[in-house]
Amino acid sequence: MSVVLLAGALVVGTVGSAWAGAPGWSDAYGDGRVSVPADRSTIKVCDGRKDNVVYKAVWHNDNPVDARKPFEVRAPQGGCATDSSLFGSVKVFKLCQGQIGTDKRVRWGACRAAVWPGEPRRVSWRPG
Protein backbone atom coordinates (compact mmCIF):
# COMPACT_ATOMS: atom_id res chain seq x y z
CA MET A 1 0.00 0.00 0.00
CA SER A 2 2.80 2.45 0.86
CA VAL A 3 4.41 1.75 -2.52
CA VAL A 4 1.21 2.87 -4.25
CA LEU A 5 1.07 6.05 -2.15
CA LEU A 6 4.70 6.76 -2.92
CA ALA A 7 4.07 6.15 -6.61
CA GLY A 8 1.63 9.07 -6.60
CA ALA A 9 4.48 11.41 -5.69
CA LEU A 10 7.04 10.02 -8.11
CA VAL A 11 7.95 12.83 -10.39
CA VAL A 12 10.29 15.66 -9.71
CA GLY A 13 10.23 18.50 -12.24
CA THR A 14 12.82 21.22 -12.60
CA VAL A 15 13.28 24.03 -15.06
CA GLY A 16 16.53 24.66 -16.89
CA SER A 17 17.61 26.98 -19.63
CA ALA A 18 20.34 25.14 -21.53
CA TRP A 19 19.99 22.57 -24.29
CA ALA A 20 22.73 19.97 -23.98
CA GLY A 21 23.80 17.75 -26.86
CA ALA A 22 24.75 14.70 -24.79
CA PRO A 23 24.63 11.03 -25.92
CA GLY A 24 21.23 9.43 -25.65
CA TRP A 25 18.01 9.88 -27.59
CA SER A 26 16.34 13.02 -28.89
CA ASP A 27 13.72 14.38 -31.23
CA ALA A 28 12.96 17.84 -32.56
CA TYR A 29 10.23 19.65 -34.43
CA GLY A 30 10.09 23.37 -35.15
CA ASP A 31 11.51 25.15 -32.09
CA GLY A 32 10.78 22.18 -29.80
CA ARG A 33 13.32 19.62 -28.65
CA VAL A 34 13.21 16.62 -26.32
CA SER A 35 16.16 14.60 -25.03
CA VAL A 36 16.80 11.57 -22.84
CA PRO A 37 20.35 10.81 -21.64
CA ALA A 38 22.01 7.43 -22.20
CA ASP A 39 21.05 6.23 -18.70
CA ARG A 40 17.35 7.09 -19.40
CA SER A 41 17.10 8.74 -15.94
CA THR A 42 15.44 11.99 -17.04
CA ILE A 43 13.59 13.59 -19.92
CA LYS A 44 14.08 17.21 -20.96
CA VAL A 45 11.81 19.21 -23.25
CA CYS A 46 12.68 22.68 -24.55
CA ASP A 47 10.86 25.44 -26.41
CA GLY A 48 13.35 27.61 -28.26
CA ARG A 49 11.07 30.59 -28.78
CA LYS A 50 8.49 32.71 -26.98
CA ASP A 51 5.51 32.72 -29.34
CA ASN A 52 2.08 31.07 -29.60
CA VAL A 53 3.54 27.56 -30.21
CA VAL A 54 4.20 25.29 -27.20
CA TYR A 55 5.82 21.88 -26.73
CA LYS A 56 5.48 18.96 -24.33
CA ALA A 57 6.85 15.45 -24.00
CA VAL A 58 4.48 12.58 -23.22
CA TRP A 59 6.29 9.56 -21.82
CA HIS A 60 6.10 6.27 -19.96
CA ASN A 61 8.65 4.70 -17.65
CA ASP A 62 9.57 1.03 -17.38
CA ASN A 63 8.01 0.46 -13.92
CA PRO A 64 4.73 -1.51 -14.22
CA VAL A 65 3.63 -0.43 -10.69
CA ASP A 66 3.84 3.31 -11.41
CA ALA A 67 0.38 4.81 -11.02
CA ARG A 68 0.85 8.09 -12.94
CA LYS A 69 0.83 7.08 -16.60
CA PRO A 70 1.36 8.56 -19.06
CA PHE A 71 3.73 11.21 -17.69
CA GLU A 72 3.80 14.66 -19.26
CA VAL A 73 6.30 17.50 -19.05
CA ARG A 74 5.68 20.89 -20.69
CA ALA A 75 8.39 23.30 -21.74
CA PRO A 76 7.92 26.90 -20.65
CA GLN A 77 7.96 29.44 -23.48
CA GLY A 78 11.59 30.04 -24.44
CA GLY A 79 12.92 27.58 -21.84
CA CYS A 80 13.26 23.96 -20.74
CA ALA A 81 11.72 21.60 -18.19
CA THR A 82 13.05 18.29 -16.91
CA ASP A 83 11.10 15.37 -15.48
CA SER A 84 12.03 12.01 -13.96
CA SER A 85 10.52 9.08 -12.14
CA LEU A 86 11.81 7.87 -8.79
CA PHE A 87 11.17 4.18 -9.57
CA GLY A 88 11.90 3.73 -13.25
CA SER A 89 13.65 4.87 -16.40
CA VAL A 90 12.26 6.50 -19.53
CA LYS A 91 10.87 3.72 -21.73
CA VAL A 92 9.16 5.64 -24.56
CA PHE A 93 8.49 9.30 -25.38
CA LYS A 94 6.86 11.57 -27.93
CA LEU A 95 7.30 15.27 -28.66
CA CYS A 96 3.98 17.10 -29.06
CA GLN A 97 3.20 20.58 -30.35
CA GLY A 98 0.31 22.88 -29.48
CA GLN A 99 -1.02 26.36 -30.16
CA ILE A 100 -1.94 28.98 -27.56
CA GLY A 101 -5.33 30.39 -28.57
CA THR A 102 -6.70 33.88 -28.04
CA ASP A 103 -8.36 32.54 -24.88
CA LYS A 104 -4.85 31.61 -23.59
CA ARG A 105 -5.70 27.88 -23.67
CA VAL A 106 -3.43 25.38 -25.36
CA ARG A 107 -4.89 23.29 -28.15
CA TRP A 108 -2.60 20.31 -28.57
CA GLY A 109 -2.04 19.05 -32.09
CA ALA A 110 -0.13 16.12 -33.46
CA CYS A 111 2.71 14.32 -31.74
CA ARG A 112 5.82 13.04 -33.45
CA ALA A 113 6.48 9.31 -33.77
CA ALA A 114 7.34 7.49 -30.53
CA VAL A 115 11.01 7.08 -29.61
CA TRP A 116 11.89 3.90 -27.68
CA PRO A 117 15.32 4.41 -26.03
CA GLY A 118 17.40 1.24 -26.04
CA GLU A 119 14.92 -0.79 -28.09
CA PRO A 120 14.30 -1.31 -31.81
CA ARG A 121 12.19 1.48 -33.30
CA ARG A 122 8.44 1.06 -32.87
CA VAL A 123 5.78 3.40 -34.23
CA SER A 124 2.48 2.03 -32.92
CA TRP A 125 2.38 3.58 -29.40
CA ARG A 126 -0.23 6.21 -28.63
CA PRO A 127 -0.39 8.20 -25.36
CA GLY A 128 -3.39 7.64 -23.14
Side-chain angles (χ1 to χ4, degrees), residues 34-121:
V34 61
S35 66
V36 172
D39 67 1
R40 300 183 300 125
S41 62
T42 60
I43 185 165
K44 181 178 182 179
V45 62
C46 297
D47 184 345
R49 175 184 267 185
K50 291 184 179 183
D51 55 13
N52 68 335
V53 180
V54 293
Y55 298 92
K56 69 178 178 180
V58 179
W59 63 284
H60 281 266
N61 70 15
D62 57 4
N63 182 348
V65 180
D66 202 338
R68 191 175 67 100
K69 289 189 179 186
F71 296 91
E72 181 178 293
V73 58
R74 295 181 184 190
Q77 289 276 284
C80 300
T82 303
D83 201 8
S84 63
S85 174
L86 187 59
F87 296 114
S89 300
V90 176
K91 180 178 180 179
V92 58
F93 65 90
K94 284 185 176 187
L95 177 64
C96 303
Q97 181 185 50
Q99 294 277 341
I100 301 173
T102 55
D103 60 358
K104 304 294 181 197
R105 291 186 173 186
V106 175
R107 289 174 184 79
W108 293 103
C111 294
R112 306 257 307 151
V115 177
W116 295 80
E119 295 184 21
R121 183 175 172 89

